[in-house]
Amino acid sequence: MSTPISTPRRLTVIIGPNPPDRLDKALARDVPEAEGLTRSRLAKLIAAGGVTRDGAALTEPRARVTEGEVIEIAFADPTEVATRAQAIPLDVVHEDGALIVIDKPAGMVVHPAPGSPDGTLVNALLAHCGDSLSGIGGEKRPGIVHRIDKETSGLLVVAKTDKAHAALAAQFEAHSVERQYLALVHGVPDPADPRLRGIQGVAVEPGGVIRIATQIGRHRTDRQRQAVLASGGRHAVTRFRVVEAFGTPPAAALVECWLETGRTHQIRVHLAHAGHGLIGDPTYGGRRKLSERALGPGAVAAAAAFARQALHAATLGFVHPETGETMRFASPLPPDMAALAKALRG
């Protein structure tokens, strides 16, 4: 829901030499970049009858155009969204005119939803970014291109312009974004373990990397959970390896995970599927308890008291949508996970 803040205006575009064979592609090339009209938004304007030639609406994106033709585009400046801006402190890792990278704390929801109407990252970004938001899809809002769970901490990138939003979304769709997570898990995954090798979708790669490739979708009976499915759902691929083992004999581990795809709860579901659920995960961790004999009572007590899934988005890398520069950001373990790892070592 949004409230208009300006009246519609008209933009005249003259089709340049050797135009693409489609109206939407030609406009995406010839509309001045400063107007912030991405191809996806132009497609919506075409469908809505906002693009005309000689007074006649062009409603087909595939319509042919020729050099020198005059095209009129009617559109409004970005509208203010109804979501409330809230001055919530943010850990800003990087910010420029196109995007912002945030180190999100555990406990913060990314986007308003039923049950979490405010206090979210979007509420905070509306206040923080203010007039630097040039509009996403016709609305003056931050462009969320990926999310991390409420109780997962760590890095995420948010677009501030329509162009940046489209370019970042394309990188996520192409699985070219680097996303590395750190997790504290029950047990120690062993690439040589016959049990692990026998699990559906599990394969071992060089360097002790374990790859899980399955279908993930909603659980058949519990609609609040995701699950590995024999058929249906969406293809999901996670790779992980052990960084550090804890206990004598080893009974818990710090693992490094890489996402090839980005499905809901993917790491949590895949590690539970492999028999190594995250410590503190109330949904997928089960009732498994750590061995006091292997780790000591202090470590077991610290794990039992850990109030969230022990998962942190530690590394984020992508190509800047405007400069073409390769950008890579790293975030250390937050204090709660660092303290838990210390207790497990002790």
Side-chain angles (χ1 to χ4, degrees):
M1 181 178 180
S2 56
T3 304
I5 60 171
S6 63
T7 56
R9 58 191 181 92
R10 301 190 73 83
L11 173 68
T12 300
V13 179
I14 300 176
I15 300 300
N18 303 313
D21 59 359
R22 292 171 53 116
L23 171 66
D24 55 351
K25 292 182 179 180
L27 291 179
R29 185 195 71 172
D30 293 340
V31 167
E33 188 173 308
E35 297 295 344
L37 296 178
T38 60
R39 185 176 169 188
S40 60
R41 191 174 178 203
L42 286 167
K44 293 177 182 178
L45 292 171
I46 292 169
V51 176
T52 59
R53 177 175 54 196
D54 298 328
L58 298 171
T59 57
E60 176 51 61
R62 299 171 183 267
R64 298 187 66 83
V65 293
T66 58
E67 179 182 344
E69 282 189 319
V70 178
I71 306 296
E72 297 281 341
I73 305 174
F75 66 102
D77 285 329
T79 59
E80 298 283 359
V81 295
T83 304
R84 184 161 60 102
Q86 294 177 290
I88 301 169
L90 291 173
D91 185 353
V92 178
V93 178
H94 171 85
E95 182 175 9
D96 56 42
L99 56 85
I100 183 169
V101 178
I102 300 293
D103 196 340
K104 185 188 83 68
M108 175 180 272
V109 175
V110 171
H111 200 281
S116 302
D118 54 23
T120 71
L121 179 62
V122 167
N123 296 105
L125 287 170
L126 286 169
H128 174 86
C129 296
D131 290 337
S132 68
L133 296 173
S134 69
I136 307 293
E139 291 186 331
K140 200 172 181 181
R141 60 179 174 84
I144 304 298
V145 290
H146 68 127
R147 305 185 189 193
I148 54 180
D149 297 338
K150 175 183 177 181
E151 298 301 342
T152 297
S153 55
L155 299 167
L156 74 165
V157 59
V158 180
K160 295 170 67 175
T161 70
D162 224 348
K163 178 182 177 182
H165 185 261
L168 288 170
Q171 291 182 54
F172 276 92
E173 186 175 354
H175 310 312
S176 63
V177 176
E178 179 187 0
R179 286 175 289 174
Q180 178 249 328
Y181 288 70
L182 292 172
L184 291 163
V185 304
H186 290 274
V188 181
D190 181 357
D193 183 358
R195 179 201 66 82
L196 189 60
R197 287 174 173 265
I199 294 173
Q200 171 198 345
V202 172
V204 176
E205 298 181 336
V209 174
I210 299 167
R211 178 180 185 267
I212 303 180
T214 70
Q215 300 299 113
I216 285 181
R218 287 198 182 275
H219 193 280
R220 304 280 186 202
T221 57
D222 185 350
R223 307 303 289 173
Q224 302 302 312
R225 300 176 60 193
Q226 302 293 308
V228 168
L229 304 178
S231 61
R234 303 179 72 186
H235 186 60
V237 179
T238 305
R239 288 178 173 84
F240 66 97
R241 68 177 181 88
V242 175
V243 176
E244 184 177 358
F246 307 107
T248 307
L254 174 67
V255 300
E256 185 178 31
C257 309
W258 298 271
L259 285 179
E260 182 174 315
T261 57
R263 310 309 181 201
T264 301
H265 299 175
Q266 179 176 316
I267 290 174
R268 298 164 65 190
V269 172
H270 269 170
L271 287 176
H273 175 66
H276 296 285
L278 273 60
I279 294 173
D281 191 336
T283 304
Y284 304 101
R287 299 184 178 182
R288 185 172 175 179
K289 295 182 179 180
L290 294 174
S291 168
E292 187 170 312
R293 186 173 183 178
L295 293 161
V300 172
F306 199 73
R308 67 177 179 101
Q309 66 259 10
L311 183 63
H312 178 65
T315 305
L316 178 65
F318 54 88
V319 175
H320 194 284
E322 292 191 354
T323 67
E325 177 187 0
T326 297
M327 310 195 75
R328 190 174 190 270
F329 304 95
S331 169
L333 279 180
D336 62 345
M337 282 185 65
L340 177 57
K342 182 178 180 180
L344 293 171
R345 289 188 192 101

